[in-house]
Amino acid sequence: MKLVIDILEERISTAMAAVAGVEVCAAIVRPAADLKFGDYQVNGVMALAKKIKTNPRKLAEEVVDKLDLGDICEQPEVAGPGFINLRLKPDFLAEKLLEINEDADRLAVKKADKPKTIVVDFSSPNIAKQMHVGHLRSTIIGDAICRMLEFLGHKVIRQNHIGDWGTQFGRAFLAMWHISMGRDHKKLYYRGELALLRGRAKDNAGLASLCESLCRQHVDDWRADSNQQLGDGEKVFWPFVQRLLSGEEHVELREIEAAYQYVTKLEETAVGMGLLTPTRERAPETGEWREKLIPYEQLSRRVTAMLQEGGEDNEQEQAVWQYLIKKTMGECNEVYRLLVVTLDDRHVRGESAYNKELPGVVDELSEKGFAKESDGAVCVFPAGFKNKDGEALPFIIQKSDGAYLYATTDLAAVRYRVNELKADVILYVTDSRQKMHFEMLFAVARMAGWASDNVELTHVMFGSILGEDGTPLKTRSGENVKLKELLKEAVERAEAVVEEKNPELPDDKKAEIANAVGIGAVKYADYSNNRTSDYVFSFDKMLAMEGNTAPYMQYAYARIKSIERKAQGRDVDIETELASLKELSLTEPAEVDLAKHIIRYGEAIASTAGDYRPNYLTSYLYELAQKFSTFYTSCPVLIAEPEKRPTRLLLCDLTARTIRHGLSDLLGIGVVEQM
């Protein structure tokens, strides 16, 4: 079904062009802000009048005289300085409702005339870390965008650009090494030592002594873990890894993350202390392993370099890297299932996938004259980006030590997505703090010719989730809130609500409702906020049964479904009455008002997908539920007169189907038939 707003736009624009004697006009049809003036308002006449130098109200009257909208609207009305107000006819509404009823799968929402290939980059967790609340918005907003674009007929390619390369791997590897040593000593010392490192942050002397002691312990363990050759890890570490790979031993991701935090804190604290730690290298003259001392804070970078070099000597690094990716994504997939998002292992393409392409990215930019050396680093200076002193800002693509950065990987990803995936549109769903990075990334990609002007590059940015104190949401200890724990608490709170309201329900039904309500409440609360704004996280507000919340919407759906159950007790065969329905009788104001809103579902989806803002859809659904409530209060359904009941049953059915489709299919929020 073609959108009503598009039909009106087309016809009115044609009439305006004919009256003004010009080729192209824009009617600029918008939903009326105040329904007492009509359903739609035409705003383009005044701009046209200014262009052709005529009186706007007179021009509006001439356009109305030229219009042929008798099959859609009542007689158009000219208002104010040149607005045209339009009110839909009940007969037209009835015709559209029947069209929707005949299209069970799509609710008469038309697919895009020109489908595009759209790459959506979202979620992007990091290796060896649990997903935390900071991943929520990217994951669910990205998922909603994908669902809507696919529904509109576009080819959507999901890209989960995980952080699985760079210095963070070296730290994750060392975390695994510390876990193996801790288990061998039967003391997970890194947990207590992490607390000590944090506690002595202002005690310089005590901190130096602690770091020296920890470094000495590390050195002793490394040297002792040798069997055939220096530092081969054959006594403790490698057997530990093999037991993990075989499933004989197990380690939780939260334990890996705790050890990772210890490694990070110790390295950061040791900077400038002159502490040395041994690693190994092959003597060029003999090929034998020999000890090499490096600054302790450089150890993780050394491990990362060993992974990136590849080869037979780095079997342990390769094995641990693959294990950590599998372990991390296994936990992420569990969170994705809880959130009901459409991401899985097929969509993972991490930073490591572009590693071999990075030298070519730098070389090509240098050859084209865009990349220059600055203080030892290789940088691109895209036009229009300056610091507060007016100096050009660098987009660094290679550090002075030869290391590549996120910027380099992101450029390689743009090139891959355009050349290999044939993307017409690339969307990056990340927080607003990365605004400058993506603006510069897009500028450099276009400079290099890797993304033409025909390719849309868009940063779909979002604000932060705040605690009730107005600061980013954290635990009491200052840690990021783990997403899995947050979702678990949401379900537990929903269980308490279900138990209070319907204690007589079977346990399995209570669990089903609690899961749908708890997870749905978290997601809907996020969606219903403008994505570019920060919002305060509140379980009490999001689980409320009143207001624009998931529980309210889920209850609205369940309330309509209860009508079907009641109909069975009154010998009303809804299916039979609706199957033979060929004409509708829309006479009551509440019927007409609800019908008008139902037929605008396609408009809501179009505006939501066009601006990548899920709150447009939640606003539509909430208003739909409110209009249904008004209708249900003023228009009896099951006890209505025989000539009115089929129309009202259809309004109930289409409302339920629309709510279900919007919540479940487009937003990934479960609905239940009883609450």
Side-chain angles (χ1 to χ4, degrees):
M1 181 174 80
K2 192 169 185 178
L3 299 181
V4 175
I5 199 168
D6 288 346
I7 297 172
L8 295 173
E9 181 78 33
E10 186 178 300
R11 291 197 194 180
I12 298 168
S13 295
T14 300
M16 288 169 59
V19 170
V22 297
E23 289 187 9
V24 180
C25 287
I28 313 180
V29 180
R30 297 288 183 267
D34 190 336
L35 294 181
K36 71 182 180 182
F37 297 121
D39 303 312
Y40 293 93
Q41 187 176 75
V42 182
N43 299 328
V45 173
M46 288 177 288
L48 178 61
K50 184 176 181 180
K51 180 179 178 180
I52 64 174
K53 296 181 173 54
T54 190
N55 181 281
R57 186 174 178 90
K58 181 175 180 294
L59 179 62
E61 291 170 349
E62 292 174 358
V63 170
V64 167
D65 290 340
K66 188 77 174 177
L67 280 176
D68 180 16
L69 296 177
D71 57 329
I72 302 175
C73 302
E74 307 289 359
Q75 178 61 32
E77 298 174 356
V78 176
F83 298 110
I84 300 174
N85 293 330
L86 307 172
R87 196 179 304 276
L88 300 177
K89 284 183 172 180
D91 289 349
F92 175 77
L93 295 173
E95 175 189 331
K96 294 304 172 185
L97 289 178
L98 291 172
E99 281 187 47
I100 296 171
N101 187 44
E102 291 172 3
D103 188 358
D105 293 333
R106 299 195 55 80
L107 297 174
V109 177
K110 186 172 175 258
K111 289 188 177 182
D113 293 329
K114 297 179 180 179
K116 297 179 179 179
T117 296
I118 303 176
V119 172
V120 185
D121 182 327
F122 67 111
S123 192
S124 304
N126 289 311
I127 189 172
K129 295 181 180 179
Q130 301 173 83
M131 292 182 73
H132 56 76
V133 70
H135 293 106
L136 175 64
R137 302 205 76 182
S138 175
T139 302
I140 65 173
I141 292 172
D143 180 63
I145 289 170
C146 289
R147 287 168 177 267
M148 275 181 271
L149 292 174
E150 281 182 327
F151 179 67
L152 291 174
H154 300 289
K155 178 183 178 181
V156 175
I157 301 175
R158 295 161 175 79
Q159 294 279 274
N160 197 351
H161 189 82
I162 66 171
D164 64 350
W165 206 247
T167 304
Q168 68 264 31
F169 169 74
R171 289 175 173 172
F173 180 93
L174 290 172
M176 297 294 287
W177 184 85
H178 280 290
I179 291 171
S180 73
M181 294 300 144
R183 292 190 178 186
D184 185 61
H185 295 319
K186 294 182 172 51
K187 178 186 177 184
L188 301 182
Y189 55 87
Y190 52 83
R191 289 183 173 175
E193 308 304 357
L194 176 59
L196 286 175
L197 284 168
R198 289 170 172 167
R200 296 185 185 179
K202 297 181 180 179
D203 178 8
N204 292 337
L207 200 57
S209 175
L210 176 61
C211 288
E212 184 178 355
S213 173
L214 296 175
C215 181
R216 190 183 312 116
Q217 175 70 53
H218 186 139
V219 172
D220 291 345
D221 284 341
W222 183 80
R223 286 180 173 149
D225 191 20
S226 302
N227 189 15
Q228 300 294 325
Q229 302 179 54
L230 174 71
D232 61 18
E234 294 285 351
K235 286 186 177 180
V236 178
F237 180 64
W238 188 230
F240 165 73
V241 172
Q242 290 177 316
R243 291 194 300 273
L244 290 177
L245 296 177
S246 68
E248 183 182 347
E249 194 162 348
H250 182 71
V251 61
E252 295 285 349
L253 188 58
R254 63 174 178 268
E255 185 175 355
I256 299 172
E257 185 171 9
Y260 182 101
Q261 292 172 342
Y262 165 73
V263 171
T264 302
K265 187 64 177 178
L266 182 54
E267 281 196 354
E268 292 174 348
T269 306
V271 173
M273 288 186 177
L275 300 175
L276 299 177
T277 189
T279 184
R280 65 179 191 165
E281 65 177 4
R282 287 196 182 275
E285 59 277 5
T286 65
E288 296 294 322
W289 289 109
R290 68 183 182 187
E291 189 171 287
K292 176 185 179 181
L293 293 175
I294 63 172
Y296 191 87
E297 60 267 28
Q298 295 180 11
L299 184 56
S300 59
R301 275 181 280 174
R302 169 66 179 155
V303 174
T304 299
M306 293 170 70
L307 169 69
Q308 295 174 351
E309 287 167 7
E312 295 180 1
D313 290 339
N314 302 318
E315 179 185 7
Q316 294 181 14
E317 286 78 13
Q318 292 284 341
V320 172
W321 176 61
Q322 292 171 4
Y323 172 82
L324 286 171
I325 292 175
K326 184 177 180 180
K327 183 74 178 176
T328 303
M329 293 314 301
E331 294 244 357
C332 290
N333 287 337
E334 186 177 343
V335 173
Y336 295 151
R337 285 191 291 272
L338 285 172
L339 283 171
V340 199
V341 297
T342 52
L343 271 180
D344 56 43
D345 289 339
R346 295 171 300 168
H347 308 120
V348 173
R349 187 174 175 85
E351 295 168 357
S352 61
Y354 305 101
N355 188 51
K356 293 180 180 179
E357 308 298 323
L358 304 186
V361 168
V362 175
D363 290 345
E364 187 173 341
L365 287 169
S366 298
E367 289 166 5
K368 290 181 175 180
F370 299 131
K372 302 174 183 177
E373 187 176 315
S374 178
D375 295 328
V378 181
C379 309
V380 181
F381 294 88
F385 296 93
K386 300 182 183 297
N387 63 20
K388 61 182 179 181
D389 297 321
E391 300 169 334
L393 281 174
F395 193 64
I396 305 173
I397 56 175
Q398 189 172 21
K399 294 167 67 175
S400 58
D401 62 3
Y404 302 106
L405 297 96
Y406 293 124
T408 332
T409 303
D410 282 344
L411 285 168
V414 170
R415 192 167 62 173
Y416 166 78
R417 292 164 180 178
V418 174
N419 294 340
E420 303 300 324
L421 300 182
K422 308 301 181 186
D424 301 305
V425 179
I426 308 176
L427 306 178
Y428 296 82
V429 187
T430 76
D431 68 77
S432 55
R433 291 172 296 179
Q434 299 183 55
K435 181 175 183 290
M436 177 70 76
H437 167 78
F438 283 106
E439 288 177 347
M440 298 183 78
L441 172 70
F442 299 161
V444 173
R446 296 201 190 282
M447 285 171 62
W450 297 332
S452 69
D453 290 340
N454 293 326
V455 177
E456 177 191 333
L457 301 174
T458 298
H459 180 202
V460 183
M461 58 185 173
F462 51 80
S464 299
I465 300 176
L466 308 178
E468 294 188 0
D469 61 355
T471 63
L473 186 64
K474 302 278 186 181
T475 65
R476 290 182 180 178
S477 61
E479 299 288 330
N480 285 320
V481 176
K482 305 308 179 192
L483 189 48
K484 190 174 177 181
E485 293 173 6
L486 180 141
L487 297 176
K488 180 182 177 182
E489 182 176 351
V491 173
E492 289 174 349
R493 286 174 177 255
E495 283 176 348
V497 174
V498 174
E499 184 65 42
E500 179 185 345
K501 301 234 177 240
N502 285 306
E504 74 286 350
L505 289 175
D507 289 344
D508 59 341
K509 180 61 68 175
K510 289 178 185 175
E512 176 192 349
I513 296 171
N515 189 71
V517 172
I519 302 297
V522 172
K523 294 180 71 174
Y524 193 94
D526 195 295
Y527 290 143
S528 62
N529 283 278
N530 185 332
R531 65 168 166 78
T532 57
S533 302
D534 299 341
Y535 74 90
V536 175
F537 188 93
S538 169
F539 276 124
D540 290 342
K541 289 182 180 178
M542 63 180 58
L543 286 167
M545 295 296 294
E546 297 179 353
N548 192 12
T549 67
Y552 174 81
M553 293 305 307
Q554 290 163 322
Y555 176 72
Y557 176 79
R559 183 184 185 189
I560 301 172
K561 300 306 286 185
S562 72
I563 296 173
E564 297 179 6
R565 294 193 294 273
K566 291 176 183 177
Q568 295 174 0
R570 295 175 181 268
D571 294 326
V572 176
D573 189 337
I574 296 178
E575 187 175 344
T576 300
E577 291 201 18
L578 294 184
S580 60
L581 190 58
K582 301 299 181 186
E583 293 183 1
L584 301 180
S585 174
L586 298 170
T587 56
E588 296 296 324
E591 294 173 333
V592 172
D593 196 32
L594 179 58
K596 288 176 180 177
H597 202 70
I598 290 172
I599 71 166
R600 287 176 56 183
Y601 184 47
E603 292 177 18
I605 295 174
S607 62
T608 302
D611 213 14
Y612 314 120
R613 293 183 186 273
N615 64 298
Y616 293 172
L617 180 57
T618 56
S619 293
Y620 167 87
L621 293 173
Y622 178 54
E623 192 173 347
L624 176 63
Q626 289 182 307
K627 289 182 182 296
F628 176 81
S629 182
T630 300
F631 155 78
Y632 191 62
T633 300
S634 59
C635 300
V637 178
L638 297 179
I639 60 172
E641 298 89 334
E643 67 275 11
K644 289 183 175 293
R645 189 169 67 196
T647 295
R648 294 179 182 178
L649 285 172
L650 181 63
L651 287 170
C652 292
D653 184 54
L654 293 183
T655 300
R657 283 158 58 186
T658 303
I659 291 175
R660 182 186 184 93
H661 187 271
L663 290 180
S664 183
D665 290 17
L666 300 186
L667 299 178
I669 293 173
V671 294
V672 290
E673 299 199 358
Q674 187 176 4
M675 284 184 69

